[in-house]
């Protein structure tokens, strides 16, 4: 990987994104809307909520322990309505669709491991204010990444992909392109030379539409109102390829075209495949689940390292064992782009970032209803949102102590 980014004369990298009307993203938004409803009045609530959808039906299932009353059908219908599913011909209708709910309390065994971490149990302690008291809600590896390709320190490919589908949704909602429907996708391929983005090689956009519009009209409008509004002109040239609705027709969409499921767009949620992924999904999980909070903390570390100028690219991997507070391992990969030695970076990470679950929750203030806004268009690099893991408040001290 290091050789690819630094020594290869020319190569192509691709990322994708999807609109809020994509079936999988609908499910992510329902799951996170339920989570936010719990956290609004019960910050200590435990949520592990999954959603599935198909033609005319939404199924919500999982484990939730809370004192909050949840009107799940209303949350589902509100989410579908906000995404634009207000007519049955769009793929599902927020008013008339069926909603099935199967929710139980969190397993007592998992609750014990989370509430009383192994480190505290071994010492016979039970101090809930101790940052060692909260164990990880599951085992696994969590990945954070940052690079200096964009102002938000994200890979250019996924940054452009997100912005394209967000713009696609905006022109639909604003009525600028009246025949658009909620479902849609984007894909962007960027050509790199020696680790530096040079140009956009290929743009793919598939958008659901009314049946009476021509492909020529769709291509014209998408180029004018979406692509040319988002991709800087200097990245486009005469050799850039455009594929707009390459299947030829996209009338049947949403849950009528494809079933949806929470957590099935994990690379869309993170770094578009440019970085590794630990495997765990985010949506519908409260912050005791390190699949979510650990990944946010890893991004926080990586972004501060790059913002401080310690490296041009940084990938941080943190691993946990269920029921344990201390991470099993923390590693940093800079792909030979580091400007100080790797040992210095490791030492600074260990000194300035506490990656125990309770410390992450406290330091990033994660017991708040801030998650539904992340369920579409990415959890990272969101300069339109004030997300705590996107802060670079440690960059100055890292830069100073590294001697830069």
């Amino acid at each position: 990987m290091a050789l690819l980014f630094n020594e290869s004369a020319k190569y192509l990298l691709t990322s994708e994104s999807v609109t809020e009307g994509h079936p999988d993203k609908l499910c992510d938004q329902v799951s996170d809307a339920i989570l936010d409803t719990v956290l609004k009045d019960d910050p200590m609530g435990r949520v592990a909520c999954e959603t599935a959808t198909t033609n005319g039906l939404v199924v919500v299932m999982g484990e939730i322990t809370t004192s909050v009353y949840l009107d799940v059908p209303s949350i589902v219908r509100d989410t579908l309505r906000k995404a634009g599913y207000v007519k049955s011909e769009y793929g599902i209708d927020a008013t008339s669709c069926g909603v099935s709910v199967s929710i139980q309390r969190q397993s007592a065994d998992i609750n014990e491991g989370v509430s009383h971490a192994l480190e505290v149990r071994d010492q016979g302690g039970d101090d809930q204010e101790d940052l060692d008291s909260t164990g990880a809600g599951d085992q696994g590896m969590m990945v954070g990444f940052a690079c200096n390709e964009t102002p938000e320190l994200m890979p250019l490919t996924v940054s452009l992909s997100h912005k394209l589908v967000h713009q696609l949704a905006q022109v639909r909602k604003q009525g600028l392109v009246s025949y658009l429907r909620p479902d849609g996708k984007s894909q962007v391929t960027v050509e790199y030379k020696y680790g530096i983005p040079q140009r956009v090689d290929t743009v793919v956009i598939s958008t659901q539409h009314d049946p009476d519009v021509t492909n020529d009209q769709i291509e014209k409008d998408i180029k004018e109102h979406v692509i040319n509004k988002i991709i800087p002109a200097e990245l486009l040239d005469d050799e850039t390829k455009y594929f707009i609705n390459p299947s030829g027709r996209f009338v049947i969409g949403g849950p009528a075209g494809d079933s949806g499921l929470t957590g099935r767009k994990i690379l869309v949620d993170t770094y578009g495949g440019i970085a590794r992924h630990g495997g765990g999904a985010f949506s519908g999980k409260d912050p005791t689940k390190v699949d979510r909070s650990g990944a946010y903390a890893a991004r926080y570390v990586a972004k501060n390292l790059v913002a401080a100028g310690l490296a041009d690219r940084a990938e941080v991997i943190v691993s946990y064992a269920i029921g344990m507070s201390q991470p099993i391992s923390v590693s940093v990969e800079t792909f030979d782009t580091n400007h100080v030695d790797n040992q210095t970076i490791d030492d600074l990470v260990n000194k300035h970032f506490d990656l125990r679950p309770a410390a992450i929750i406290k330091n990033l203030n994660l017991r708040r209803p801030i998650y539904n806004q992340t369920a579409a268009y990415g959890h990272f690099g969101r300069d339109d949102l004030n997300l705590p893991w996107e802060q670079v408040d440690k960059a100055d001290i890292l830069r100073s102590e590294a001697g830069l």
Side-chain angles (χ1 to χ4, degrees), residues 138-161:
D138 203 350
Q139 70 176 38
M141 297 76 65
M142 291 77 216
V143 180
F145 182 79
C147 62
N148 61 4
E149 294 178 12
T150 62
E152 64 270 27
L153 303 185
M154 287 287 286
L156 180 62
T157 51
V158 74
S159 177
L160 292 176
S161 295

Side-chain angles (χ1 to χ4, degrees), residues 142-144 276 298 301 305 314-319 328-334 345-346 349-350 355:
M142 291 77 216
V143 180
R276 282 168 280 204
V301 175
L305 292 175
E315 184 182 72
V316 177
I317 303 179
V318 187
S319 67
I328 300 299
S329 66
V330 180
S331 64
V332 181
E333 169 66 75
T334 60
I345 293 175
D346 290 343
V349 170
N350 290 329
L355 297 173

Side-chain angles (χ1 to χ4, degrees), residues 278-290:
F282 301 157
S283 291
K285 297 178 181 178
D286 74 77
T288 67
K289 278 71 173 176
V290 287

Side-chain angles (χ1 to χ4, degrees), residues 63 75 97 101 109 116 127 167 192 279 330 380:
E63 298 79 44
I75 295 172
C97 71
V101 181
D109 292 343
H116 306 96
D127 182 0
Q167 176 70 5
Y192 289 73
V330 180
F380 306 119

